[in-house]
Amino acid sequence: MKNFILKELFWLIVFSLSSLFLSFIFLSFLKLTYSEPVMNDIEKVFTFQLYFIGCIISLISLYIVRITVSVLKKMI
């Protein structure tokens, strides 16, 4: 049981770090543009919210892929 918890904790850390990078890719696909060179407070909050949503979506997607691969390994 201890090995299982450590393994899941390891995957959570790895997926959390990779979701941070994937959320940058998510934001680059949106190609946000601003009317002024400096963002105002509302634009900063909006950009952070999009970044956070990208992190959550990336983390969920990575776990779905991991679960799918493990199920396919057990079936084969």
Side-chain angles (χ1 to χ4, degrees):
M1 186 68 178
K2 182 179 174 183
N3 289 336
F4 178 75
I5 293 173
L6 289 175
K7 185 178 176 183
E8 289 299 318
L9 184 63
F10 169 75
W11 281 113
L12 178 67
I13 292 170
V14 169
F15 287 162
S16 297
L17 291 175
S18 58
S19 71
L20 294 175
F21 295 116
L22 288 174
S23 61
F24 280 123
I25 295 171
F26 172 71
L27 284 180
S28 69
F29 284 145
L30 294 178
K31 294 184 182 176
L32 297 175
T33 58
Y34 305 106
S35 58
E36 300 175 8
V38 179
M39 291 191 294
N40 61 19
D41 291 336
I42 294 173
E43 290 172 338
K44 287 179 186 176
V45 170
F46 180 67
T47 305
F48 178 75
Q49 288 174 344
L50 285 176
Y51 178 74
F52 186 72
I53 289 170
C55 282
I56 298 298
I57 289 172
S58 299
L59 188 64
I60 291 170
S61 300
L62 288 170
Y63 263 104
I64 289 173
V65 168
R66 179 176 177 266
I67 290 170
T68 305
V69 168
S70 66
V71 166
L72 288 175
K73 277 183 171 180
K74 289 184 180 185
M75 289 179 69
I76 294 176

